Amino acid sequence: LCSHSVRHCYKGDYISTGCCRTGAWLRLKKFLGRFNLSNLEICESLLYNNIIIRMPRIYNDFVKTGNDVHIYLWQVEETLDELCGLIDCGQEVLDRISKDITSHKRKVEKLATRALLKSTPYGESELCYHSNGQPYLSGSNEFISISHSGNLVVIAISSEPVGIDVEKQRYISPRHGKSFVNETEMQRFVDDNNSSQEFLRIWTVKEAAYKAAPDKVPVVTGIAVTERLLLNDYIQYRICFPDDSSAICKTYALNDFVLSYCRLEKANS
């Protein structure tokens, strides 16, 4: 495995990606092209042991936002055996996963999540779960959130509570959308030209906010979107919890996917 990687820099944020064998960069460019990243300024740099791509079919991007949120993405094309090999799990672990999870897709997601985590600087931490299902990193003070959709696995890690959600683009009918978008949000943010897309964006925003603070609200629909700001590279939303506390969520369009993350603001901010 080589330590060569390519860093994409823009507006103080960056995405860095490592590759491990000849030809991987061409495959990586093709993959990144799917994510509408043409506005990035591309420059080469040497980063040692930062992000390692372990197989040519696996790509993971490290996105460092300007507010201490690290986002990792993995396009899953591996078999269960290949993923198990990436995390060095034995047959006993694979048998336990097979026993606990009957869905093949869920097994792949579980192993891919652990493989992705292992490829990050937090790879030595054990992924555990609280009784409410919220993940955490054993032996680390960092917060983690996980999401899957289609063949994409994403992880967000931050020093503050964080939530992330990714959804494959799909049509959402007005009838379905109104089940989680309230009347005020309908009037302010949804119109006939963008209804399905905005429904999906608002869903990912509320889901990300819920993951960041599951103790603040019993259900996703208890979260209200109060502001929306359209920026060049993403859409910024402000959400409000029932206790009147608020947080900022950012939403990105990744061609076939919509990704939103929410990081809770510090109490004294």
Side-chain angles (χ1 to χ4, degrees):
L1 299 179
C2 74
S3 58
H4 179 270
S5 64
V6 177
R7 178 177 291 177
H8 309 264
C9 309
Y10 69 109
K11 296 183 179 179
D13 301 349
Y14 64 81
I15 300 174
S16 68
T17 330
C19 52
C20 63
R21 60 178 70 176
T22 303
W25 168 231
L26 295 178
R27 288 186 290 273
L28 182 58
K29 287 177 65 178
K30 181 179 179 181
F31 173 70
L32 291 176
R34 296 173 52 198
F35 288 144
N36 193 26
L37 299 176
S38 57
N39 60 327
L40 301 184
E41 175 187 351
I42 300 177
C43 59
E44 293 190 5
S45 64
L46 289 176
L47 300 177
Y48 294 94
N49 299 320
N50 185 3
I51 300 299
I52 297 174
I53 295 178
R54 300 179 180 275
M55 295 177 63
R57 289 185 299 151
I58 300 174
Y59 307 96
N60 54 19
D61 309 329
F62 168 63
V63 182
K64 182 175 182 183
T65 68
N67 59 0
D68 185 38
V69 179
H70 300 166
I71 298 176
Y72 304 84
L73 304 91
W74 192 304
Q75 184 188 37
V76 183
E77 298 180 356
E78 289 65 47
T79 66
L80 281 175
D81 288 341
E82 288 174 328
L83 289 170
C84 194
L86 289 176
I87 60 176
D88 299 325
C89 71
Q91 188 61 43
E92 180 181 350
V93 174
L94 190 58
D95 290 342
R96 185 169 66 249
I97 291 175
S98 298
K99 179 180 179 181
D100 295 340
I101 304 174
T102 57
S103 166
H104 177 79
K105 182 175 183 296
R106 291 288 295 124
K107 291 176 186 176
V108 169
E109 290 173 350
K110 189 175 184 68
L111 288 176
T113 299
R114 294 179 182 274
L116 174 56
L117 179 62
K118 186 175 180 180
S119 73
T120 74
Y122 308 92
E124 296 303 316
S125 299
E126 182 182 357
L127 180 60
C128 304
Y129 292 87
H130 293 293
S131 58
N132 64 358
Q134 190 175 29
Y136 68 95
L137 296 174
S138 177
S140 173
N141 293 325
E142 301 295 296
F143 294 86
I144 184 172
S145 183
I146 300 165
S147 185
H148 324 86
S149 185
N151 68 337
L152 199 64
V153 175
V154 299
I155 293 175
I157 298 177
S158 176
S159 61
E160 299 294 329
V162 64
I164 193 166
D165 189 54
V166 64
E167 298 287 343
K168 194 171 179 64
Q169 291 278 10
R170 64 182 185 277
Y171 173 74
I172 298 180
S173 69
R175 180 178 180 180
H176 182 202
K178 290 178 182 178
S179 67
F180 58 86
V181 176
N182 64 42
E183 190 61 34
T184 300
E185 294 164 346
M186 287 288 296
Q187 294 176 0
R188 296 186 62 183
F189 308 123
V190 180
D191 59 48
D192 292 339
N193 295 323
N194 76 344
S195 61
S196 181
Q197 291 181 336
E198 190 62 25
F199 285 145
L200 187 59
R201 286 192 288 261
I202 290 177
W203 172 257
T204 63
V205 164
K206 291 189 176 186
E207 184 72 12
Y210 174 77
K211 289 181 176 181
D215 297 333
K216 282 180 172 287
V217 57
V219 290
V220 172
T221 51
I223 298 168
V225 176
T226 59
E227 297 177 10
R228 181 183 67 181
L229 181 61
L230 306 179
L231 300 171
N232 289 335
D233 302 308
Y234 59 91
I235 302 176
Q236 179 173 291
Y237 294 86
R238 179 172 288 277
I239 60 92
C240 185
F241 294 104
D243 63 0
D244 292 330
S245 62
S246 65
I248 294 295
C249 298
K250 295 183 178 181
T251 300
Y252 294 83
L254 304 179
N255 278 7
D256 296 338
F257 297 89
V258 173
L259 182 149
S260 294
Y261 76 86
C262 176
R263 175 182 181 271
L264 296 191
E265 298 173 349
K266 294 183 179 180
N268 60 354
S269 61

